[in-house]
Every structure is written in C-alpha cells, then in structure tokens.
Amino acid sequence: EFVVFMPYSDHVGAVGLAERFREAIAEKPLVLDDMTLEITASFGVSCLRNTDNSPIDLLNRADEALYDAKGEGGNTVKTRI
C-alpha cells in the first residue's frame, strides 16, 4: 500500500488520478521470461474534512475505501468522503 497526498486537488481530481493510475497498470502486463502476468490495482480515495482531528482520520477513510474496492473484486476506485 502507498499514499498519494494531493494538497491542491479536489475529490474529482483525486478520483481522476486514481483512475488513470488504475487504467495504466491494468493495460500493461508484466512480462517475465516466458510468463505474462496481468496486473490490476485497487484504490481508496478520501478528502480532508473540516471535522478531521488529524491526518489519521483522512488515512483511515482512504483505507476503508481501499478495502471496499478489494472486497468488490479489485481493479476499481472507491471513495469515502
């Protein structure tokens, strides 16, 4: 898992970037010797709220969204705003 902070973006921009990452990963299989592996990725997106007490609140929502994406079979972007 990794985190991308986008301090000058809104929800639409964040989801758009996650979708572009997801699509780019899915369209380029990994080729190792004579083996081809299809790779997909799941993303959880959240935006900072005025009511957040710390950055951990933001990360927790993003993590919940990521598990939503994985639970639906992966290769998707889910949000928790």
Side-chain angles (χ1 to χ4, degrees):
E1 293 182 14
F2 64 92
V3 174
V4 177
F5 285 103
M6 301 172 56
Y8 300 105
S9 183
D10 59 9
H11 178 259
V12 171
V15 170
L17 181 64
E19 283 289 355
R20 288 193 301 277
F21 283 160
R22 186 192 62 73
E23 290 170 0
I25 291 166
E27 69 185 29
K28 302 242 185 209
L30 178 62
V31 179
L32 300 170
D33 297 324
D34 62 344
M35 186 184 316
T36 300
L37 301 172
E38 301 292 328
I39 307 281
T40 62
S42 298
F43 292 84
V45 176
S46 185
C47 294
L48 191 63
R49 296 177 183 166
N50 291 337
T51 58
D52 286 342
N53 293 315
S54 77
I56 297 300
D57 295 335
L58 172 67
L59 290 173
N60 285 340
R61 282 193 310 280
D63 196 45
E64 290 169 0
L66 174 60
Y67 282 96
D68 289 346
K70 289 178 178 182
E72 290 188 13
N75 195 29
T76 191
V77 175
K78 290 295 181 180
T79 63
R80 290 275 179 107
I81 299 178

